[in-house]
Amino acid sequence: MALLQQQNYETLNEASAAELAKKLNLFHKDAELTTAEIGDGNLNLVFRVEDRLSGRSVIIKQALPYAKVVGESWPLTLKRAKIEADALKLFKELAPEFVPEVYFSDETFAITVMEDLSHLSIARKGLIQGEEYPLISKHLGEYLAKTLFFTSDFGTKPSDKKELVKKFINPELCKITEDLIFTDPFFDSETNSFEEELRDEVKKLWADEKVKLEAALLKQSFLTEAECLLHGDLHTGSVFASKTETKIIDPEFAFYGPAGFDLGQVIANLLFQAISCESKQESIFSHIRTFWETFTAEYSRLWADSNMEPYSKTEGYLEKVLKKYFKDTTGFAGCELIRRTIGLAHVADLDGISDQSKRITAKIKTLNLGKKLIVSREQIGNIDELISNVKDSL
Amino acid sequence: MALLQQQNYETLNEASAAELAKKLNLFHKDAELTTAEIGDGNLNLVFRVEDRLSGRSVIIKQALPYAKVVGESWPLTLKRAKIEADALKLFKELAPEFVPEVYFSDETFAITVMEDLSHLSIARKGLIQGEEYPLISKHLGEYLAKTLFFTSDFGTKPSDKKELVKKFINPELCKITEDLIFTDPFFDSETNSFEEELRDEVKKLWADEKVKLEAALLKQSFLTEAECLLHGDLHTGSVFASKTETKIIDPEFAFYGPAGFDLGQVIANLLFQAISCESKQESIFSHIRTFWETFTAEYSRLWADSNMEPYSKTEGYLEKVLKKYFKDTTGFAGCELIRRTIGLAHVADLDGISDQSKRITAKIKTLNLGKKLIVSREQIGNIDELISNVKDSL
């Protein structure tokens, strides 16, 4: 990047971040810039650069060459910044209303300069605090219908899709998912983290060959089924929201995988709210229903209007595809429920339940629901049956 | 390639092929080389370079920038030569006894210099002429167990596998398969080629929504399921054989796809022999049984000894994987039977039946068997049931 003095990767500071923003002509020449580092420092530096005169602001995100999770630190490829910037740009083309704009990106410095979304809040935090986002489920359904359809062999030419598969090969970040979602929670692995009161339940899981076989098959699907370009980490912490707007950020885990993985993560992360707060259950179930119905309606519309596959008019094909997506969604949601309860990375929805006994009860329910979704995914035929399975577990 | 004078692609001739072999030090300095172009000229030039003194010989294969099939000509990427050379080298590491050695390859010139297999014959031709290859089915089963296992997420680290997926992205040659095997034969497409006497049967196929739905799902599997590095074109014309030896050549269609595709092509291409020559049926059925049993035995042995997946010891996992492979194999074999009967590229086994009425009858049987294998692949549970389905169709 000729815009900065250095030739090799170096972390930005507030001064060099402001200098970069200026050189990119993102502000008026008389702008009075103030810069603040606002990231949580685990994986990335995040600078907010604002012009005090105009109020205009941008975000500069820089990947760090290591990850810190629960005090542990391991090296992590900087290439993820390029994957993230490339994915944001592509998703922006496909679903512009739900993706921040990227103004500039640089692979060497692992930098993405993008639209500031500070007027929105992170959906997980907002939901925990009792905020309501009436449109979030509709927006997530639309976003996924568009991104999953137009990156698949139905919505793009198979030869172009193969070049995208190549571009988004993402071994290191996929490995995190393969280990932390699909493997470690089902074995007595060092990365697991759970309260001692859960040990008996966790041991039952580790000994449950039926659940493990189905988890193995879901992992195999994640490893092999290059259906669409996924966000890859679409939990409520990757969503900025307000009452009217929804923006999906942080697609550094993007890669070609099974559609149900993104869909299942959305549903599981909404479910944590239903599990942790009884009074919200009906509202969350309604969101989950809206999410799935919007997704299928929009996906079906795109299938009818924009499908380039000669078989797309073949009787029953769309239904088969949606049925497969739903089955996968159910199973992947189950994996997410389990790993967020006993694996390395938890969610504040559950860990934040201050009453110890209620928290343990909620986590046991989460584990059992996770197992049920994994093993019964062939039998759970539609979104209403999924919700009634959830109700039976709570 | 500094070994030749030119900087850019240029076709070899007999003189420059001999010059290249010399420069590569593949022969003694006093060798007396004779060169002959022995290819069929459709896709590649093939030079055989021999030292009259020692009898030693090598093959120099050069990709041409176009393909000729049934008089049509279209441009075709030279990159396929690199894919082929890379695949040969990898398959040679994994199953050395069944793959020719590559001495040299060059991407710019689209050249692969390799072991001469002239002492063997092309299995399709040999089988049609009544040759017997008692070990061919055992060898093909072993070859596929090794190459499919060790290139999958079970036999190689998932992160290394992803680099291989990237290396073997092969859009142009995959498109040939997507069109000519999975699409065109099921629609009234210009590329199709069949005798007028078959038109009624073909029209029935084009109108059969049930077969088309299942063909669509098999195509989708081919497009998305990156299970293993496939040969991608493993018919009996890609196999050199004798009574004791089997070598698999021409993997220019190599890419990451579903295991059942290679397995199904082997079975379908053996079936053409059973369909075209009644007296060989029991021998061919025995080959097919041996092929599948060898494959599953060897694959199971590799699974037990070399599987790096933590779930590999999970009860029932191997059985699930083999069951999935078998189902796919059955369906893909069905697609191959159909496309070789009415699609663009035929097989000499069927077209060579000189009696018109017998030929048409054989082709109708092939079509119907193909449809049956496609739609019944969930129900056909094992290799004996597959063979009895074949018997019922003949």
Side-chain angles (χ1 to χ4, degrees):
Chain A
M1 184 173 55
L3 288 157
L4 290 174
Q5 301 302 320
Q6 309 88 324
Q7 294 298 305
N8 298 313
Y9 178 86
E10 208 168 285
T11 52
L12 293 176
N13 53 37
E14 295 187 354
S16 57
E19 184 197 7
L20 174 65
K22 256 190 196 160
K23 285 192 178 163
L24 288 170
N25 293 319
L26 294 172
F27 294 98
H28 191 272
K29 66 178 169 44
D30 301 324
E32 291 183 14
L33 300 185
T34 56
T35 307
E37 207 284 308
I38 57 167
D40 58 9
N42 272 348
L43 293 156
N44 305 289
L45 295 171
V46 181
F47 298 94
R48 182 169 184 272
V49 185
E50 183 180 9
D51 172 14
R52 270 178 302 183
L53 299 179
S54 66
R56 181 176 156 69
S57 56
V58 302
I59 292 294
I60 302 181
K61 180 171 175 180
Q62 182 176 40
L64 291 167
Y66 52 81
K68 278 194 231 159
V69 188
V70 198
E72 296 202 40
S73 172
W74 68 80
L76 198 58
T77 177
L78 289 172
K79 280 184 207 156
R80 70 187 196 276
K82 178 172 163 53
I83 295 263
E84 176 173 352
D86 286 346
L88 282 173
K89 289 173 200 167
L90 181 51
F91 292 148
K92 181 78 183 171
E93 278 175 43
L94 303 178
E97 58 273 53
F98 306 123
V99 181
E101 192 171 341
V102 171
Y103 305 122
F104 172 79
S105 63
D106 180 89
E107 196 177 343
T108 309
F109 284 83
I111 281 173
T112 308
V113 183
M114 67 183 118
E115 193 180 342
D116 182 17
L117 301 170
S118 305
H119 64 292
L120 307 176
S121 37
I122 289 290
R124 188 186 307 282
K125 284 187 198 165
L127 288 168
I128 291 173
Q129 287 162 9
E131 292 291 323
E132 287 185 11
Y133 304 117
L135 296 177
I136 192 170
S137 45
K138 180 172 173 290
H139 288 168
L140 283 164
E142 276 180 46
Y143 164 82
L144 281 178
K146 287 174 179 165
T147 59
L148 299 180
F149 178 81
F150 282 114
T151 59
S152 77
D153 288 293
F154 302 120
T156 192
K157 266 181 27 195
S159 50
D160 294 340
K161 179 218 158 184
K162 288 180 184 72
E163 297 301 335
L164 288 172
V165 170
K166 190 195 274 188
K167 183 172 180 175
F168 288 100
I169 292 278
N170 198 352
E172 287 194 61
L173 277 81
C174 282
K175 180 165 167 47
I176 294 176
T177 305
E178 290 153 18
D179 291 347
L180 298 187
I181 298 187
F182 292 111
T183 314
D184 296 355
F186 299 91
F187 294 86
D188 185 2
S189 310
E190 278 186 13
T191 60
N192 289 330
S193 157
F194 52 82
E195 286 130 310
E196 210 37 51
E197 291 83 348
L198 292 174
R199 184 164 294 276
D200 285 351
E201 290 295 325
V202 173
K203 278 187 167 171
K204 268 195 251 168
L205 173 69
W206 293 342
D208 190 331
E209 290 288 299
K210 202 171 162 198
V211 172
K212 288 172 82 168
L213 175 57
E214 297 303 322
L217 296 173
L218 286 160
K219 179 180 180 184
Q220 182 65 5
S221 160
F222 184 87
L223 284 164
T224 60
E225 297 189 65
E227 290 175 347
C228 335
L229 183 63
L230 305 186
H231 178 285
D233 191 29
L234 192 41
H235 56 86
T236 45
S238 298
V239 180
F240 265 119
S242 72
K243 290 226 179 308
T244 55
E245 265 187 281
T246 308
K247 302 274 186 190
I248 289 97
I249 60 165
D250 288 354
E252 60 206 281
F253 283 75
F255 80 108
Y256 261 81
F261 185 74
D262 272 1
L263 293 158
Q265 286 212 310
V266 168
I267 289 180
N269 281 277
L270 289 172
L271 281 175
F272 292 127
Q273 276 295 300
I275 295 165
S276 61
C277 184
E278 211 181 316
S279 65
K280 281 193 199 167
Q281 283 176 7
E282 282 310 318
S283 147
I284 291 292
F285 295 152
S286 162
H287 269 308
I288 288 174
R289 197 176 284 108
T290 301
F291 168 66
W292 188 260
E293 285 171 359
T294 308
F295 169 75
T296 52
E298 179 66 7
Y299 192 92
S300 302
R301 190 185 67 78
L302 296 172
W303 182 284
D305 293 351
S306 306
N307 201 319
M308 295 184 293
E309 167 58 56
Y311 285 105
S312 65
K313 309 287 179 217
T314 298
E315 223 175 288
Y317 193 15
L318 170 62
E319 291 69 25
K320 276 268 183 190
V321 169
L322 288 175
K323 196 176 168 186
K324 196 253 180 204
Y325 287 180
F326 184 71
K327 187 188 76 174
D328 293 353
T329 296
T330 305
F332 288 128
C335 295
E336 176 76 357
L337 291 175
I338 289 175
R339 75 98 168 206
R340 293 293 197 179
T341 311
I342 61 169
L344 179 66
H346 287 206
V347 287
D349 315 57
L350 293 179
D351 281 356
I353 302 173
S354 50
D355 182 290
Q356 144 101 0
S357 139
K358 281 187 185 163
R359 189 175 64 249
I360 297 297
T361 305
K363 287 189 174 184
I364 290 173
K365 284 178 182 172
T366 308
L367 270 184
N368 286 326
L369 176 58
K371 289 198 282 188
K372 195 203 271 184
L373 297 187
I374 290 172
V375 298
S376 307
R377 66 192 190 286
E378 290 274 4
Q379 287 78 50
I380 301 174
N382 57 50
I383 196 69
D384 287 324
E385 287 178 30
L386 189 148
I387 290 169
S388 69
N389 267 278
V390 173
K391 283 182 179 165
D392 293 346
S393 297
L394 298 188
Chain B
M1 182 173 55
L3 288 158
L4 290 175
Q5 301 303 320
Q6 310 88 322
Q7 294 298 303
N8 299 312
Y9 179 85
E10 210 168 283
T11 52
L12 293 177
N13 53 37
E14 295 187 353
S16 58
E19 184 197 5
L20 174 64
K22 257 191 194 156
K23 286 193 177 162
L24 289 170
N25 293 320
L26 294 172
F27 294 98
H28 191 272
K29 68 178 169 41
D30 300 325
E32 291 182 15
L33 300 185
T34 57
T35 306
E37 208 283 308
I38 59 168
D40 57 9
N42 273 349
L43 294 156
N44 304 290
L45 294 171
V46 181
F47 297 93
R48 182 168 184 272
V49 185
E50 182 178 11
D51 172 14
R52 271 179 301 185
L53 299 180
S54 66
R56 181 175 156 69
S57 56
V58 302
I59 291 294
I60 301 181
K61 181 171 174 180
Q62 182 176 40
L64 290 168
Y66 52 81
K68 277 193 231 159
V69 188
V70 198
E72 296 203 41
S73 171
W74 67 79
L76 197 59
T77 178
L78 289 172
K79 282 184 206 157
R80 69 188 197 276
K82 178 172 162 53
I83 296 263
E84 176 173 352
D86 286 345
L88 281 173
K89 289 174 200 167
L90 180 53
F91 292 149
K92 181 77 184 171
E93 280 176 43
L94 302 178
E97 58 275 53
F98 306 122
V99 182
E101 191 171 342
V102 170
Y103 305 122
F104 172 79
S105 64
D106 181 89
E107 196 177 343
T108 308
F109 284 82
I111 281 172
T112 307
V113 183
M114 65 183 118
E115 192 179 342
D116 182 16
L117 301 171
S118 304
H119 64 292
L120 306 176
S121 39
I122 290 290
R124 188 186 306 282
K125 285 188 200 166
L127 287 168
I128 290 172
Q129 287 162 10
E131 293 291 322
E132 288 187 9
Y133 305 117
L135 297 177
I136 192 170
S137 45
K138 179 171 174 290
H139 288 168
L140 283 165
E142 275 179 46
Y143 164 83
L144 280 178
K146 286 174 180 164
T147 59
L148 299 180
F149 178 82
F150 281 115
T151 59
S152 78
D153 288 294
F154 302 120
T156 192
K157 265 178 33 191
S159 50
D160 294 341
K161 179 217 157 184
K162 289 180 185 71
E163 297 302 335
L164 288 172
V165 170
K166 190 194 274 188
K167 184 172 178 175
F168 288 99
I169 294 276
N170 198 353
E172 286 193 61
L173 277 80
C174 282
K175 181 166 167 43
I176 294 176
T177 304
E178 290 154 18
D179 291 346
L180 297 187
I181 297 187
F182 292 111
T183 313
D184 295 355
F186 299 92
F187 294 86
D188 185 3
S189 310
E190 278 186 15
T191 60
N192 289 329
S193 157
F194 52 84
E195 283 129 302
E196 211 36 51
E197 291 83 348
L198 292 174
R199 183 164 295 275
D200 285 351
E201 290 296 325
V202 173
K203 278 187 168 172
K204 268 196 251 166
L205 173 69
W206 293 342
D208 190 332
E209 289 289 298
K210 202 172 163 197
V211 172
K212 287 172 82 167
L213 176 58
E214 297 303 321
L217 295 173
L218 287 160
K219 179 180 180 183
Q220 182 66 4
S221 160
F222 184 86
L223 284 164
T224 61
E225 298 189 64
E227 291 175 346
C228 334
L229 183 63
L230 305 186
H231 178 284
D233 192 29
L234 192 43
H235 56 85
T236 44
S238 296
V239 179
F240 265 120
S242 72
K243 291 226 179 303
T244 55
E245 265 187 283
T246 309
K247 302 275 185 189
I248 289 95
I249 61 164
D250 288 355
E252 60 206 280
F253 283 75
F255 80 108
Y256 261 81
F261 184 74
D262 272 2
L263 292 158
Q265 286 212 310
V266 168
I267 289 180
N269 282 277
L270 289 172
L271 282 175
F272 292 127
Q273 276 295 301
I275 295 164
S276 61
C277 183
E278 210 181 316
S279 64
K280 281 194 199 168
Q281 284 176 6
E282 282 310 317
S283 147
I284 291 292
F285 295 153
S286 161
H287 269 308
I288 288 174
R289 196 175 285 109
T290 300
F291 168 66
W292 189 260
E293 285 170 358
T294 307
F295 169 74
T296 52
E298 178 66 7
Y299 192 92
S300 303
R301 189 184 69 76
L302 296 172
W303 182 284
D305 293 351
S306 305
N307 201 319
M308 295 184 294
E309 167 58 56
Y311 284 106
S312 64
K313 309 286 179 221
T314 298
E315 224 174 288
Y317 194 14
L318 170 62
E319 291 68 24
K320 275 267 184 190
V321 169
L322 288 175
K323 196 176 166 186
K324 196 252 180 204
Y325 287 179
F326 183 71
K327 187 188 75 173
D328 293 352
T329 297
T330 304
F332 289 127
C335 295
E336 175 75 357
L337 291 175
I338 289 174
R339 75 98 167 205
R340 294 293 197 179
T341 311
I342 60 170
L344 178 66
H346 287 206
V347 287
D349 315 58
L350 292 179
D351 281 356
I353 302 173
S354 50
D355 182 289
Q356 144 101 358
S357 142
K358 281 188 185 163
R359 189 175 66 248
I360 297 297
T361 305
K363 288 188 174 184
I364 291 174
K365 284 178 182 173
T366 309
L367 269 183
N368 286 325
L369 176 59
K371 289 197 283 188
K372 195 204 271 183
L373 297 187
I374 289 173
V375 298
S376 308
R377 65 192 193 285
E378 290 275 5
Q379 286 77 51
I380 300 173
N382 58 49
I383 196 69
D384 286 325
E385 287 177 30
L386 189 147
I387 290 168
S388 70
N389 268 278
V390 173
K391 283 182 180 166
D392 293 347
S393 297
L394 297 188

